[in-house]
Amino acid sequence: SVTVGGVAATSVVVVSATSITAVTPAGTAGAKSVAITTVGGTATLTNAFTYVVPAPTITAVTPTSGSTLGGTLITITGTNLTGATSVRVGGIAATAENVTSTTTMTAVTPAGTAGAKSVAVTTAGGTATLTNAFTYVVPAPTITSVTPTSGSTIGGTSITITGTNFVAGTTSVTVGGVAATAENVTSTTTMTAVTPAGTAGAKSVAVTTAGGTATLTNAFQYLTYPSWATVLEGIPNAAVVTDVSLRAAITATNRPWRVRDNGTLIEMLLVPPGTFMMGAAANDTGQQPNELPQHQVTLTNAFYLGKTEVTQAVWLAETGAIPSFFTGNTSRPVETVSWGSCQSFCTTAGLRLPTEAEWEYSCRADTTTPQYGVAADIAWCTANAGGTTHPVGTKLPNALGLYDTIGNVYEHTSDYYGAYAAGSVTNPTGPATGTTRSARGTGFSSSAAGARAAFRQEASMTSTPNNRGFRVARNP
């Protein structure tokens, strides 16, 4: 037998008494002793054969291109790849190197700059390089979302854009075709920017990198913010404004949905323009003569309306006193207030009372039934109120997000009380003159059956009953 470095050789052939051939086994690098064993014993020649690690070669890299962000799994084919200690792409170390055979290995590319790069494999036998074997390509960006989805026409809204393939230092953002500012790429999937000034309406947001431009259509809506209010929510919340057509109508106004009046801190919701049938329908079994005839009303202008009836807390803050009969909780609606005192409150605060048509349109919120829900769920009335008012906003709202439009307290409107017009009208404001006003909404002393959207009450302008309050309105 023949051994090299203690490992048996193969294909041993005795050529003559003085000559033998054999094929070396695999071995580790370095000088090795060769031993020959016969029946007569073993002869060894120290350091007679030196193992040398063969230099690697590279014949191909696949795929031949990938993202500048790195992360492309490449397969390298060649020879003598066993024991590879590193792979470099464009001089930068790759990761996850894995030798699957002497002729094949894989690795994951590092991040790199755009262009063709050499791939190098290093083993103990040396380094093999394949010039321009892999090309870095800047990947095209994508946009999946923009938040918030709305902001002021004056600009200055900080938006967060999510997507893919955002590249720091080479990314620009436009909103409606106008360059945003303060672009900041926080990761390959997230970046921020500040909107420029723009015109009211939905606008596309575009992100441009060296890899191309991604556009998300109508991703951001410019809204005309009121100077007198703080915007709480720009776009209507679907969980609150449950009617799809109402949400679309509100959004189409290009005005913020939910605001807080800066003077009184009253929260107000936008009511969009629209057309409805005002008064009691023919099949409304509770109809009263003063609710007829039912007639078509068109309101051409959006307006803001108090989310709730005006509370005792708000009245106290503005006037310094609480005139209400029912006290103990300032979240109750203010009552025992005359039409004149409510009108004075509104004038001082820059607000107004809604017209009777605005009130009923807002109460109905695109419904045509006598009530917009089950009376016990939406209204404080004789069946559940216990003969008293209750804190506002504790029953279910209507589809516009307004609370207590039916029940709790009647609400003053700006209209003089009088008969309805017989035909269709646009933006009605009631009779030109009169001695009494129209109150709407019913109160805690009303029956459940009488708590209806069409119900009207003739109200003295000076009387102060404990079941009558008000809700404020304001033009945008």
Side-chain angles (χ1 to χ4, degrees):
S1 68
V2 175
T3 61
V4 180
V7 181
T10 58
S11 303
V12 177
V13 176
V14 177
V15 179
S16 67
T18 60
S19 178
I20 295 175
T21 63
V23 175
T24 60
T28 57
K32 308 296 178 181
S33 296
V34 175
I36 296 174
T37 299
T38 68
V39 292
T42 297
T44 301
L45 186 60
T46 303
N47 297 334
F49 184 84
T50 300
Y51 279 113
V52 177
V53 178
T57 66
I58 305 175
T59 55
V61 174
T62 55
T64 58
S65 64
S67 171
T68 52
L69 301 175
T72 301
L73 179 66
I74 57 175
T75 298
I76 304 169
T77 56
T79 61
N80 304 324
L81 301 178
T82 302
T85 56
S86 73
V87 174
R88 304 181 78 83
V89 182
I92 302 173
T95 58
E97 300 95 334
N98 180 39
V99 177
T100 55
S101 71
T102 60
T103 59
T104 307
M105 71 175 296
T106 59
V108 174
T109 61
T113 56
K117 308 294 178 180
S118 296
V119 175
V121 174
T122 298
T123 71
T127 298
T129 301
L130 189 59
T131 304
N132 297 336
F134 184 83
T135 300
Y136 278 114
V137 178
V138 179
T142 67
I143 305 175
T144 54
S145 68
V146 175
T147 54
T149 57
S150 66
S152 173
T153 53
I154 66 174
T157 301
S158 179
I159 57 174
T160 298
I161 305 169
T162 58
T164 60
N165 304 325
F166 299 154
V167 182
T170 62
T171 300
S172 67
V173 176
T174 61
V175 182
V178 181
T181 57
E183 300 95 335
N184 180 38
V185 177
T186 55
S187 71
T188 59
T189 59
T190 307
M191 69 173 298
T192 59
V194 174
T195 60
T199 55
K203 309 295 179 181
S204 296
V205 174
V207 172
T208 299
T209 70
T213 298
T215 301
L216 190 58
T217 304
N218 297 336
F220 184 84
Q221 183 160 2
Y222 279 113
L223 303 175
T224 302
Y225 279 27
S227 60
W228 48 268
T230 298
V231 174
L232 303 178
E233 286 186 82
I235 301 300
N237 186 332
V240 177
V241 183
T242 55
D243 185 281
V244 174
S245 61
L246 284 177
R247 287 202 304 275
I250 293 169
T251 301
T253 67
N254 294 321
R255 295 187 181 278
W257 165 59
R258 188 166 72 97
V259 303
R260 178 176 289 117
D261 176 58
N262 290 331
T264 62
L265 302 183
I266 292 174
E267 187 173 327
M268 305 182 79
L269 303 178
L270 187 73
V271 180
T275 298
F276 75 110
M277 295 303 294
M278 185 172 181
N283 61 354
D284 184 348
T285 57
Q287 66 175 240
Q288 302 296 315
N290 68 348
E291 300 164 5
L292 301 173
Q294 189 180 44
H295 57 292
Q296 180 176 287
V297 172
T298 297
L299 300 177
T300 60
N301 301 309
F303 59 96
Y304 284 99
L305 192 66
K307 181 179 177 180
T308 68
E309 295 155 334
V310 175
T311 65
Q312 295 176 20
V314 170
W315 186 276
L316 174 63
E318 295 299 308
T319 67
I322 295 178
S324 299
F325 177 81
F326 300 105
T327 57
N329 187 332
T330 57
S331 293
R332 295 173 186 258
V334 67
E335 27 76 17
T336 318
V337 286
S338 68
W339 183 92
S341 63
C342 293
Q343 181 67 16
S344 177
F345 174 98
C346 290
T347 300
T348 301
L351 302 167
R352 64 177 177 84
L353 293 172
T355 67
E356 192 174 0
E358 287 175 336
W359 186 96
E360 186 170 330
Y361 174 64
S362 302
C363 174
R364 290 189 178 279
D366 215 23
T367 62
T368 58
T369 52
Q371 299 168 336
Y372 54 82
V374 177
D377 295 334
I378 65 172
W380 291 110
C381 50
T382 53
N384 59 15
T388 183
T389 60
H390 290 264
V392 300
T394 52
K395 288 293 185 181
L396 295 179
N398 68 7
L400 277 171
L402 301 170
Y403 290 87
D404 301 311
T405 53
I406 293 177
N408 221 2
V409 293
Y410 287 86
E411 299 177 15
H412 289 293
T413 71
S414 62
D415 290 19
Y416 282 113
Y417 179 81
Y420 281 155
S424 299
V425 290
T426 299
N427 300 325
T429 56
T433 61
T435 58
T436 56
R437 300 284 177 169
S438 180
R440 302 298 299 265
T442 72
F444 67 88
S445 57
S446 302
S447 68
R452 299 159 43 254
F455 189 87
R456 307 174 72 203
Q457 182 186 62
E458 183 177 9
S460 164
M461 290 189 286
T462 58
S463 65
T464 57
N466 63 14
N467 65 350
R468 193 183 302 150
F470 71 115
R471 184 186 305 261
V472 297
R474 182 156 185 168
N475 298 332

